[in-house]
Amino acid sequence: MTASALIRATHLVSLMTVFGAGTYLFLIRRLSGPGRVPLLAMSLVALASALLSFVLVTANMTGDGHGTFAWPSLELVATQSFFGRMFLVRIGLLAILVVVASAWRRPAATGLMAAMALASLGLTSHAAANGGRHWLAFAANDAAHLLCAGFWLGGLMVIALMLRQRKPDLVPALRIFSTWGTGAVALLVVAGTLNALAIVQADAARWSFDYMTVLGFKIVLAVIMIALALANRFSVSPAIATGSETARNELAWTVAGELGLGIVVVLLAAFLGMMPPMSMPTPME
Ligand code: HEM
């Protein structure tokens, strides 16, 4: 499971940052942004990790160590299961994303394609699987959670690059990030809470201890990220606008902290996606 979760986390982080960076670059298009953001490289990582992830999940599903990379198992899962058919759709979207990122190179178009590939993950999420009649609404909620988290991480990456390159338009870029980021983080928290309510059912006796522990850690780290973002918004960014060099250094540290925590949060989410949220009832029940 560890290898599958690491590959899934790689997929999530790369696709989320392509979406977030592409969208934020579009929002700051009139400013002098960072020179080159590796959207194509990250799109390629997203495509490769999706393929690898499918092979590993198929191996887990078929449960046959020898048939792990056997073509018939892959073909069977790809064509005969909802998960497999969704995988084929997603590979199509990711392939188009790579073409758009390499040929067109417009951040908006790249961000839009990444948004579609990212949002489609909601259809095979735990929340959709537990949503019953409302599965599509829960899939949309999961998609909103992923898009908001992606905007946050991708936007931070662009700001980190602007800080390193000492871009003169950092202050207006931070202002735009604050405006859009506040909405994104608020929606992220609401969607995450609804996600948790959909997945973790009322019967507390059946909660999986492992799942709840990992979810608990994820929420604690998310709260620390939000605290850092609030410090940036209300204290560090206004100080940067006054030209303070100390504030610039502080921003570099808090942005690095948020990015590092964000990657760990996504890693925990990748594990959660592979863990059963509820323990199985015993035969006596
Ligand atoms: C209070 C804040 C948050 C709550 C309550 C929350 C809750 C959740 C829940 C319950 C899930 C579903 C896990 C599963 O598949 O079983 C989830 C998934 C996820 N969360 Fe969060 N989360 C929060 C913040 C964040 C943050 C800050 C990030 C990243 C920056 C993030 C990124 C993700 C990702 C990438 C997934 C995977 C979605 C998928 O596989 O479809 N979350 N979250």
Side-chain angles (χ1 to χ4, degrees):
M1 183 168 95
T2 310
S4 300
L6 286 175
I7 298 293
R8 187 175 165 79
T10 306
H11 178 67
L12 286 167
V13 169
S14 52
L15 193 53
M16 285 161 78
T17 37
V18 174
F19 162 69
T23 309
Y24 183 55
L25 284 172
F26 170 72
L27 292 175
I28 59 165
R29 65 193 178 284
R30 291 190 216 293
L31 307 176
S32 87
R36 218 180 66 85
V37 181
L39 295 183
L40 173 60
M42 291 190 304
S43 304
L44 283 166
V45 171
L47 175 61
S49 53
L51 287 164
L52 197 53
S53 184
F54 178 70
V55 172
L56 291 175
V57 172
T58 302
N60 283 344
M61 277 164 110
T62 52
D64 172 10
H66 296 104
T68 298
F69 299 106
W71 182 252
S73 325
L74 295 174
E75 197 180 345
L76 190 73
V77 175
T79 55
Q80 302 300 319
S81 66
F82 177 67
F83 165 77
R85 285 191 288 267
M86 273 315 298
F87 162 76
L88 294 179
V89 171
R90 297 198 69 249
I91 287 300
L93 290 172
L94 290 164
I96 300 174
L97 169 66
V98 169
V99 173
V100 169
S102 63
W104 208 354
R105 293 178 188 209
R106 301 262 166 161
T110 308
L112 189 66
M113 274 317 300
M116 285 196 252
L118 193 57
S120 68
L121 278 170
L123 293 168
T124 47
S125 64
H126 265 153
N130 284 285
R133 278 188 306 127
H134 306 293
W135 71 276
L136 202 53
F138 283 108
N141 183 65
D142 191 74
H145 190 63
L146 278 165
L147 292 171
C148 293
F151 180 78
W152 193 358
L153 292 187
L156 282 175
M157 197 188 87
V158 173
I159 288 175
L161 289 172
M162 287 182 78
L163 265 165
R164 235 180 66 164
Q165 297 166 8
R166 301 195 72 86
K167 289 287 170 185
D169 278 348
L170 181 66
V171 172
L174 282 174
R175 216 168 280 135
I176 293 175
F177 188 62
S178 286
T179 309
W180 288 83
T182 306
V185 173
L187 188 55
L188 171 77
V189 173
V190 173
T193 309
L194 290 176
N195 224 344
L197 292 175
I199 294 168
V200 180
Q201 292 147 30
D203 186 359
R206 292 241 176 93
W207 287 355
S208 150
F209 176 77
D210 291 348
Y211 184 92
M212 295 308 286
T213 307
V214 177
L215 180 61
F217 270 121
K218 177 177 182 284
I219 293 174
V220 169
L221 295 185
V223 170
I224 300 175
M225 282 179 76
I226 293 169
L228 284 176
L230 287 174
N232 276 344
R233 170 120 167 57
F234 294 108
S235 162
V236 185
S237 295
I240 287 186
T242 65
S244 157
E245 195 56 30
T246 320
R248 265 188 98 94
N249 289 337
E250 267 175 39
L251 183 70
W253 280 107
T254 49
V255 165
E258 278 179 65
L259 273 172
L261 285 170
I263 290 170
V264 178
V265 167
V266 175
L267 182 62
L268 295 180
F271 272 99
L272 286 176
M274 293 178 176
M275 295 166 76
M278 309 295 280
S279 52
M280 291 294 156
T282 61
M284 298 297 288
E285 287 176 80

